[in-house]
């Protein structure tokens, strides 16, 4: 919560409209922010996020009342279905964790996308690679993220 406190201390930050996004290993802190249920965080987005150890976590109970958090809190998980680093069980558990913590959760699981699908510089000429750029998943996930941010930040 020290990072959240630091962000909230910045003069231009609206402490009731904070969103965060994470890529790859950044999926774990996004999940943790969801579990923490910090007042003022209204949007969380994970792109090809890793959720290692999620099966060891108990499901949280939502602790933010509608009065303390009148704005809808939304989480978006963007995943490549061919990502060998994110088993289906981890993806389902991540969705359960967000929902149990009171987040309206959307999962986009792109059929032909691998890990790191949003990075056009990803080397994808190795047929055995677990990584690869997927333009369709990149564009659709980014547009979904922008839509979420427009809603929760009221842009």
């Amino acid at each position: 919560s020290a990072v959240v406190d630091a962000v909230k201390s910045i003069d231009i930050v609206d402490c009731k409209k904070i969103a965060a996004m994470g890529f790859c290993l950044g999926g774990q802190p996004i999940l943790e922010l969801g579990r923490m249920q910090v007042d003022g965080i209204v949007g969380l987005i994970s792109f090809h996020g890793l959720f290692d150890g999620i099966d060891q976590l108990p499901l949280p109970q939502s602790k933010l009342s509608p009065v303390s958090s009148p704005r809808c809190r939304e989480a978006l998980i963007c995943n490549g279905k061919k990502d060998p680093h994110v088993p289906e069980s981890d993806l389902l558990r991540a969705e359960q964790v967000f929902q149990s913590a009171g987040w309206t959760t959307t999962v986009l699981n792109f059929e032909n996308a691998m890990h790191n699908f949003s990075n056009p510089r990803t080397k994808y000429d190795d047929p055995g690679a677990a990584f690869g750029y997927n333009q369709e998943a990149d564009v659709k996930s980014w547009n979904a993220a922008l839509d979420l941010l427009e809603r929760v930040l009221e842009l």
Side-chain angles (χ1 to χ4, degrees):
S1 75
V3 171
V4 175
D5 292 341
V7 169
K8 287 183 172 184
S9 73
I10 300 169
D11 289 340
I12 61 170
V13 171
D14 182 340
C15 295
K16 293 182 177 28
K17 295 181 183 181
I18 298 173
M21 60 176 67
F23 295 77
C24 187
L25 294 173
Q28 194 69 43
I30 293 301
L31 179 72
E32 290 304 316
L33 281 171
R35 292 181 70 231
M36 290 168 57
Q37 304 174 55
V38 177
D39 223 2
I41 297 182
V42 294
L44 295 173
I45 303 163
S46 170
F47 296 94
H48 39 83
L50 302 179
F51 306 111
D52 295 344
I54 193 167
D55 56 337
Q56 307 293 314
L57 299 174
L59 290 176
Q61 296 302 311
S62 181
K63 65 183 182 185
L64 291 178
S65 71
V67 173
S68 68
S69 184
R71 186 172 285 108
C72 181
R73 295 179 299 144
E74 292 188 45
L76 173 64
I77 302 171
C78 302
N79 185 66
K81 204 166 192 173
K82 291 185 175 181
D83 186 340
H85 304 296
V86 183
E88 185 72 21
S89 59
D90 283 3
L91 188 61
L92 292 172
R93 185 64 173 189
E95 181 179 21
Q96 289 175 332
V97 167
F98 279 117
Q99 289 173 340
S100 292
W103 292 85
T104 299
T105 307
T106 301
V107 176
L108 300 179
N109 200 14
F110 298 101
E111 192 70 37
N112 295 311
M114 296 186 286
H115 190 71
N116 208 26
F117 62 79
S118 67
N119 184 351
R121 291 186 164 194
T122 300
K123 182 177 179 180
Y124 55 91
D125 56 355
D126 177 0
F131 300 86
Y133 178 66
N134 182 298
Q135 184 175 10
E136 180 182 4
D138 179 21
V139 170
K140 285 184 177 180
S141 64
W142 188 251
N143 286 337
L146 293 177
D147 289 345
L148 180 148
L149 292 172
E150 285 178 358
R151 278 191 309 279
V152 300
L153 300 178
E154 300 174 333
L155 301 175

